[in-house]
Amino acid sequence: MTRPSKEPMTEPSMKRLTGKTILVTAAGQGIGRAIAERLAAEGADLIATDLRHGLLDGLPGRLEALDVTDGAAIRTLIGGLDALQGLVNCAGMVPHGDILACDEPEWRRAFTLNVDAAYHTTRAAVPLLLAQGGSVVNIASVVSSVKGAPNRFAYGATKAALIGMTKAVAADYVTRGVRANAICPGTVDSPSWRGRVDEQSQARGVAREVVEAEFVARQPMGRVGTPGEVAALAAYLLSDESAFTTGQVHVIDGGWSN
């Protein structure tokens, strides 16, 4: 598999997020962790949440165990904040299979985690964002309304819904100081992706290197992305540098959807 020899040079050169309180869900690993680390490095007052509190070890700021499928817990956490200028909805799951492989329980689980969770967090956060101004960043996917992919039926449907939610929030509050944007990554080297590679390897009885190579083969750049590359884009969208940007779908997929 071809991977970058090292993380691309995306280290922050300034403290663009100083004075901003930003909450990140699913901040324990992968893209969520990279975003949390980047925001803290840029000066944000970080509130990092994850279902498993132990995954948050080592992050700066306020660390909270949070089940994003629990609307009451979300309202309690966000309702108790004095300040909030940013929200990153990163929690999600990647169901595998076509429509015939997707039974109703899995369909409901996918929407509960990939869509309902963002609804609950955003609804709880909007009053604070309206009072103080701020930005919502939803981690969607290029596999959504942007592009279809084999065996990603439920996943693509949920991420398309998340894009629709993003655009609706942006339209409703465009004149009131609240922005919303979606980031749509392609394949990113993360614990979630590595787990899917292992699952497919075992299910098909082939070496994991074969599955990895198949993922890379569909990438025009000849590699998968890194969490840090996604984090750099999230930091920009949460900063005042992107003040004229809202309701947009930001594709970061190495040219896969071209």
Side-chain angles (χ1 to χ4, degrees):
M1 172 186 172
T2 302
R3 297 184 185 177
S5 59
K6 60 181 179 178
E7 187 80 3
M9 298 298 292
T10 57
E11 290 300 315
S13 59
M14 61 189 77
K15 299 288 187 178
R16 296 179 294 180
L17 302 175
T18 299
K20 295 183 185 295
T21 299
I22 303 175
L23 187 149
V24 182
T25 67
Q29 57 186 350
I31 290 174
R33 177 122 189 160
I35 289 174
E37 291 173 344
R38 178 67 183 241
L39 302 186
E42 295 241 17
D45 295 320
L46 178 67
I47 304 172
T49 76
D50 200 282
L51 180 62
R52 292 176 287 176
H53 191 278
L55 292 177
L56 301 170
D57 290 350
L59 286 174
R62 178 176 171 181
L63 311 180
E64 295 281 349
L66 181 66
D67 179 354
V68 293
T69 69
D70 186 340
I74 290 168
R75 291 189 292 273
T76 297
L77 174 61
I78 296 180
L81 300 178
D82 294 325
L84 190 68
Q85 289 84 26
L87 170 66
V88 182
N89 287 309
C90 197
M93 63 180 291
V94 186
H96 180 77
D98 61 12
I99 190 170
L100 297 179
C102 179
D103 59 19
E104 187 169 348
E106 182 167 74
W107 177 256
R108 296 301 171 198
R109 283 194 298 272
F111 269 87
T112 295
L113 187 55
N114 291 1
V115 183
D116 295 353
Y119 157 75
H120 288 300
T121 53
T122 305
R123 191 171 191 271
V126 161
L128 281 169
L129 298 176
L130 285 172
Q132 304 165 5
S135 174
V136 177
V137 174
N138 291 321
I139 305 302
S141 173
V142 70
V143 179
S144 57
S145 53
V146 176
K147 177 181 178 65
N151 292 311
R152 289 291 182 267
F153 169 71
Y155 182 69
T158 59
K159 292 302 186 177
L162 188 58
I163 289 173
M165 184 189 305
T166 303
K167 288 181 172 290
V169 170
D172 284 334
Y173 302 112
V174 65
T175 63
R176 301 178 65 184
V178 176
R179 299 183 294 113
N181 289 282
I183 294 178
C184 292
T187 307
V188 173
D189 189 356
S190 67
S192 173
W193 174 66
R194 289 193 290 272
R196 295 196 301 278
V197 169
D198 288 338
E199 289 172 4
Q200 291 188 35
S201 170
Q202 293 170 12
R204 294 165 51 192
V206 300
R208 74 181 318 277
E209 289 77 15
V210 172
V211 180
E212 284 186 351
E214 291 172 351
F215 275 103
V216 172
R218 70 187 188 185
Q219 302 295 134
M221 284 191 179
R223 68 170 178 89
V224 297
T226 69
E229 289 170 319
V230 181
L233 178 55
Y236 165 73
L237 292 173
L238 290 158
S239 77
D240 293 339
E241 290 183 358
S242 61
F244 202 53
T245 301
T246 193
Q248 299 306 303
V249 175
H250 300 266
V251 173
I252 177 169
D253 71 347
W256 182 29
S257 59
N258 284 356

